[in-house]
Amino acid sequence: MVRILRGLAHKYFSDEEAVILFLILVTGTFVVIWFGAMLAPAIASLIVAFILQGLVTKLNRLGVPEFVSILGVFLVFLGVLVAFIFGLLPLIWTQVSTLAGEAPRIIGELQTYLEVLPEQYPQLISAESVAAIYEQVNTEVGHMTQWLVSFSLSSIPDLVALLIYMVLVPILVFFFLKDREVLLGSISRLLPPQRPMMLRIWHEVNLQCANYVRGKALEILIVGGTTYIAFKFLGMPYAALLSLLVGLSVVIPYIGAAVVTVPVAVIALFAFGWGSHFIWVMVVYGIIQALDGNVLVPLLFSEVNNLHPVAIIVAVLFFGGIWGLWGVFFAIPLATMLKAVFAAWPVKDAMPPPDAGRA
């Protein structure tokens, strides 16, 4: 057993740089798990600054001075944030409240649709299964309505914390952009002077994750905006809420599109019934999903090494189970980072001599 452990240590951890990188990864993981909620504004600001740095770099290449590039990109980010807080967020909240108010009518219509299924398809579904589905839907809608009603004075502390985050995040983003070189220099002084493996991993992660995160942010805006325009044109109710869900669904390939199709189909069904209008909504929605997967994704992510679908699903399950919604959102960048680490990790094939441990 000792010989096996010594062989593994020699194979994977004989390089001092590999040991230091392993300790950094383990320490960083535990810090995020234990102090993730406390450090959430800093982590979110770091990710936003990472996304915006690409725009700053492109402006620099066009001859725009560094500080002017940083200030311009930051003002654009601030404008988008203000527009989201005071424009889109109230609209979405209003539509969520309206949808909760119409829940009893939707449940009644759902019951009408479900009651005829056992008569039409007795071999596929029974009356007991329909009753169980109806009861489950009724329970979930009741929980959502209860949560909306309870969102009152008891939520003031959360609102205050949210307002503090809204102030802290822009400030942190600005300083992360402005003092990027100073911060990276401070971190590099803590690392070994000779670190070829870390530099190779950093280059790969910076290339892959930067392209992915920035491309995914742009994909969310394009898909969500296109869906909102199409749904408004078709007269689809709750267009802002549904377009937000469709936009965010692109974060989780395969799974997200399948999940978000259910609320789109259900709301279209209850709004227009079985008919041509319902078919048009679903056809337009299907076209948007097809263009996203076959045109937009190849254009935005041509430089990104694609992960296997199994790796994507496992990453979503694993990181989502550890960090919840944040883990789901950043599962693929984290999996890409791990892939880069494993690809660059030094491995020695030769076993240590038998007397290596007695020297």
Side-chain angles (χ1 to χ4, degrees), residues 4-240:
I4 294 176
L5 294 177
R6 192 174 62 193
L8 292 175
H10 174 78
K11 185 175 182 179
Y12 296 105
F13 297 102
S14 58
D15 193 328
E16 177 187 6
E17 189 182 4
V19 176
I20 294 175
L21 179 60
F22 178 75
L23 294 176
I24 292 174
L25 292 175
V26 172
T27 303
T29 301
F30 280 110
V31 167
V32 172
I33 293 175
W34 289 339
F35 304 104
M38 185 186 307
L39 299 175
I43 296 174
S45 303
L46 186 62
I47 294 169
V48 172
F50 186 70
I51 296 173
L52 298 179
Q53 182 59 41
L55 297 177
V56 174
T57 303
K58 289 183 179 180
L59 290 176
N60 290 339
R61 291 174 181 173
L62 295 176
V64 181
E66 176 104 12
F67 184 76
V68 176
S69 302
I70 293 173
L71 186 61
V73 170
F74 176 75
L75 290 177
V76 171
F77 160 71
L78 205 59
V80 172
L81 182 63
V82 171
F84 176 78
I85 295 174
F86 295 101
L88 184 59
L89 200 59
L91 177 60
I92 293 174
W93 177 253
T94 301
Q95 293 193 357
V96 170
S97 302
T98 304
L99 180 60
E102 292 188 359
R105 180 186 66 83
I106 295 177
I107 292 177
E109 296 185 10
L110 176 63
Q111 185 179 15
T112 303
Y113 282 110
L114 291 177
E115 285 176 349
V116 300
L117 291 180
E119 300 176 2
Q120 297 178 348
Y121 309 100
Q123 297 179 347
L124 298 178
I125 189 170
S126 62
E128 292 78 9
S129 301
V130 170
I133 295 173
Y134 175 74
E135 183 66 26
Q136 183 66 29
V137 171
N138 196 14
T139 302
E140 294 299 329
V141 172
H143 290 165
M144 184 181 69
T145 306
Q146 184 180 4
W147 176 79
L148 290 172
V149 172
S150 64
F151 191 81
S152 56
L153 294 177
S154 61
S155 303
I156 287 180
D158 295 334
L159 289 176
V160 172
L162 181 61
L163 291 175
I164 294 175
Y165 287 174
M166 289 301 178
V167 175
L168 286 178
V169 169
I171 294 175
L172 289 173
V173 168
F174 177 76
F175 283 110
F176 280 144
L177 289 173
K178 174 178 173 293
D179 299 328
R180 173 175 175 268
E181 297 298 333
V182 176
L183 295 173
L184 290 177
S186 301
I187 295 174
S188 64
R189 283 195 292 269
L190 301 176
L191 301 176
Q194 301 297 326
R195 46 182 188 276
M197 180 186 66
M198 291 185 182
L199 292 176
R200 187 165 64 252
I201 292 174
W202 168 254
H203 176 74
E204 181 69 17
V205 170
N206 186 49
L207 176 64
Q208 297 294 324
C209 290
N211 290 335
Y212 178 84
V213 173
R214 292 163 190 159
K216 192 58 69 174
L218 186 59
E219 184 186 4
I220 291 173
L221 293 176
I222 294 175
V223 173
T226 304
T227 303
Y228 178 75
I229 294 172
F231 282 179
K232 287 294 290 185
F233 178 77
L234 294 171
M236 184 77 166
Y238 314 110

Side-chain angles (χ1 to χ4, degrees), residues 113 268-279:
Y113 282 110
L269 177 63
F270 289 123
F272 308 119
W274 295 107
S276 60
H277 208 149
F278 170 79
I279 295 175

Side-chain angles (χ1 to χ4, degrees), residues 308-327:
H308 193 276
V310 174
I312 292 176
I313 294 174
V314 171
V316 169
L317 294 175
F318 179 75
F319 292 112
I322 294 178
W323 295 316
L325 183 61
W326 285 109

